[in-house]
Amino acid sequence: MAYNDDAVLAKLSALNETQESIVTVAQWVMFHRRHADRTGQLWLQRLKDSGSNKRLNLIYLANEVAQQSKARRKDDFLIAFSPVIAEATATAYKGATSDVQNKLRRVVEVWRQRQIFEVPIQEAIESRIDELDKSRSSSAKRGGSSIFSPNANDFPRELSPLLAPQQALSKLILSTMTSTKAATQDYEKLTDPNTAISSAPVHAARLNGLLKTLANAEGAVAESIKARQILIHGLEKILDTNRTALAAEEAQVAEIASRKVEIDNKKREVEEAIMRGLSSNSNPTTPAADGAPTVQSLPVTTASEPDRPEIEPLSPPTFPHATDPLIADFKPDQVFPTEDYANLSLTPPAIGSDLLSSLSTSNSYGLAPAIGSAKKRKMESNEDFPDLGGDVMDGLDDDVAAMLRQDTASFS
C-alpha cells in the first residue's frame, strides 16, 4: 500500500489491542520512516479523535515504534514523537478509567527504565501526568505525590525553591523544541539553493511566514532562557549558602586540630615531669629541674585502714596437756634398740594399763562410750547340741518315731 494520509488513517483505524495488530501496523509505519513527521502528526490527530480504549492502543503503537527505533538506532520516529508524545500521553490519561491509567503509567515507567526518550521529554511526560493526578479528587488520599518520584515529604526543604523553576523549565523545553524545529525546517527549505525560485509575491509571502516562525521560535527560546536563569539563580543561592557553611566548617576543623596538638604537648610535658620525679626519687644526688613536680611534692591522701573482720578459728580444739610424767617424757620419734625387742614383755605394767584404761574409757571431748551387754549361751563341752528339754519324738507318729530310733541306734 502506497503511503498517503488516507492509508495512514486507515491503518490507525484498524488498530486493535492485540499484539499481532500492533506489531503489523508498527512494521508498516517503520517501513515508511521517511514520512515520520507526517505520521506523527496524523497519529496525534487520530488519538485526539478516539475514545479511551482506542487511545491506549495508539499509545501501545507509539511504544512499539519507539522501542524498535531505539533498538535499531533509527531516530526518525523518536524525533517525530518527541514534540507530541507528552501531549498525547496526557490526552490519553485524562478522563480514562483507573485500569487504563495504570496501563499508561506502566508504559511511561518502561520509557524511563529503558531511556527511550531524552530526559527533558521524559520529565515533561511525567509532569503532565502528575498535574492530572493532582487535579483529581483522589489526590488528597495519595497526598498528591508523584508516581514516578519519591514521596514529597522526603524532598529536602533546602531544595524546595528549585522545584517550581525546574517544572516550568521542563514544560518550556517541549514547546521550545517544537518551535525551533519548525523554524529550522522552514528556513532550510526556503534557503535551499536547489529549490526553484517562485514568483516575487509568493516568495515574499513565504519569507513573511518564515519571519513569523522564527519570531515564535525566538520567543520560545527567550522564555526558556528566562526560566533557566531563575533556576540558576536559585542554584547559586544554595551554592553560596553551602560555600559559607563549608568555610565555617574548614575553620572549625582547623581550630580543633590546633587544640588537639596543644593538649598532646601538655600531656607529653606532664609525662616527662612524672618520669623526672621518679628518677630524682630513686637517685637523691640528681637534683630535679626548677619548677618540675617531684614525688615528695605530690599530694598524699591518708585513709584509715578498715578493721579486720571477725572470723571463727578453723583449727580443731587442742588436746589437754598431759601432766603425767610418763606422758611428758614420751617422745614419738624415739627408736628402741632391736636387741631389746625380745626382752620386751607383752604384759604392760600396771601404771601403763591404768593409763590405757583411762584413755579407752574417755576421749578428749569428754564423751563416755556406751557399753553394750550380750547374753551368752552356755554349752557343755561333751554335748554337740544343747538340751532343750523333753523328748524330741513327742508329737510324731509311733511308727515314724520307731523308725527314727532304729536308724539312730544303727548309726551309733
Side-chain angles (χ1 to χ4, degrees):
M1 181 183 294
Y3 182 88
N4 51 52
D5 293 354
D6 295 336
V8 175
L9 293 176
K11 289 287 184 180
L12 297 178
S13 299
L15 184 68
N16 56 49
E17 60 184 0
T18 62
Q19 184 178 1
E20 181 180 0
S21 176
I22 294 173
V23 172
T24 302
V25 176
Q27 290 178 353
W28 185 87
V29 169
M30 293 182 65
F31 179 77
H32 299 282
R33 64 176 180 272
R34 293 178 299 174
H35 308 282
D37 293 337
R38 183 57 182 170
T39 303
Q41 296 175 2
L42 295 174
W43 172 82
L44 178 61
Q45 178 183 351
R46 182 59 182 169
L47 187 142
K48 291 180 179 180
D49 297 338
S50 302
S52 178
N53 293 330
K54 188 68 174 181
R55 290 174 179 175
L56 178 62
N57 297 336
L58 292 172
I59 293 294
Y60 283 160
L61 176 63
N63 174 62
E64 179 69 19
V65 173
Q67 292 202 43
Q68 290 295 333
S69 300
K70 187 76 172 180
R72 299 177 184 181
R73 297 182 180 180
K74 303 294 184 180
D75 298 336
D76 303 83
F77 281 100
L78 293 176
I79 296 174
F81 281 136
S82 293
V84 298
I85 191 64
E87 181 183 359
T89 305
T91 302
Y93 191 85
K94 184 178 180 180
T97 61
S98 299
D99 186 28
V100 174
Q101 288 182 349
N102 291 332
K103 293 178 180 179
L104 290 172
R105 290 193 193 103
R106 177 56 184 163
V107 173
V108 175
E109 186 65 23
V110 170
W111 291 345
R112 168 177 283 277
Q113 293 176 357
R114 300 183 181 180
Q115 300 178 354
I116 301 300
F117 297 100
E118 296 180 357
V119 176
I121 304 300
Q122 183 70 31
E123 291 179 352
I125 297 171
E126 296 174 0
S127 177
R128 296 288 292 270
I129 293 179
D130 290 342
E131 290 178 358
L132 293 174
D133 286 337
K134 291 178 182 179
S135 63
R136 296 177 58 186
S137 59
S138 60
S139 61
K141 298 180 180 180
R142 294 187 286 111
S145 59
S146 174
I147 61 176
F148 307 104
S149 60
N151 192 349
N153 296 329
D154 299 335
F155 193 78
R157 184 181 61 182
E158 294 79 6
L159 300 179
S160 57
L162 303 178
L163 184 59
Q166 181 62 48
Q167 291 178 349
L169 181 61
S170 299
K171 294 178 182 178
L172 291 173
I173 287 176
L174 184 60
S175 60
T176 302
M177 290 180 60
T178 304
S179 300
T180 54
K181 183 179 179 181
T184 302
Q185 290 178 352
D186 292 346
Y187 176 80
E188 291 177 353
K189 183 178 180 180
L190 190 60
T191 58
D192 188 5
N194 298 325
T195 304
I197 299 176
S198 57
S199 60
V202 175
H203 189 62
R206 290 179 178 177
L207 291 175
N208 188 23
L210 179 59
L211 286 175
K212 292 181 179 180
T213 304
L214 292 174
N216 292 333
E218 183 182 9
V221 174
E223 291 293 331
S224 178
I225 291 174
K226 186 184 297 184
R228 198 175 295 277
Q229 288 176 348
I230 295 174
L231 179 61
I232 292 175
H233 181 66
L235 290 171
E236 288 178 349
K237 285 184 177 180
I238 296 177
L239 184 60
D240 293 339
T241 303
N242 284 274
R243 283 176 177 172
T244 304
L246 178 61
E249 290 174 353
E250 289 177 348
Q252 187 177 10
V253 74
E255 182 180 2
I256 293 174
S258 63
R259 291 179 178 179
K260 181 180 176 181
V261 173
E262 179 184 358
I263 296 301
D264 186 57
N265 293 333
K266 287 184 178 181
K267 186 193 75 169
R268 291 182 180 179
E269 292 177 359
V270 173
E271 291 176 350
E272 292 176 358
I274 293 174
M275 296 302 297
R276 286 195 297 268
L278 293 176
S279 61
S280 63
N281 187 29
S282 60
N283 188 7
T285 60
T286 304
D290 296 337
T294 60
V295 177
Q296 290 81 1
S297 63
L298 296 177
V300 179
T301 57
T302 59
S304 60
E305 183 179 357
D307 298 335
R308 294 183 178 181
E310 296 181 359
I311 60 174
E312 296 181 359
L314 301 178
S315 302
T318 58
F319 292 96
H321 296 285
T323 56
D324 196 310
L326 294 178
I327 298 177
D329 295 339
F330 176 74
K331 297 180 180 180
D333 56 349
Q334 183 177 1
V335 179
F336 295 94
T338 56
E339 60 271 10
D340 294 338
Y341 288 165
N343 299 327
L344 290 177
S345 176
L346 298 177
T347 304
I351 187 170
S353 61
D354 295 338
L355 177 60
L356 294 175
S357 176
S358 63
L359 292 177
S360 62
T361 56
S362 63
N363 52 21
S364 60
Y365 298 100
L367 299 177
I371 302 175
S373 61
K375 295 182 179 181
K376 298 181 180 180
R377 179 178 297 174
K378 296 182 180 180
M379 300 178 61
E380 296 181 358
S381 59
N382 56 353
E383 293 182 358
D384 294 335
F385 298 98
D387 186 7
L388 300 178
D391 191 358
V392 295
M393 300 298 179
D394 292 343
L396 296 178
D397 187 67
D398 295 339
D399 296 335
V400 175
M403 292 174 64
L404 291 176
R405 288 190 181 95
Q406 290 177 2
D407 293 338
T408 303
S410 63
F411 284 111
S412 59

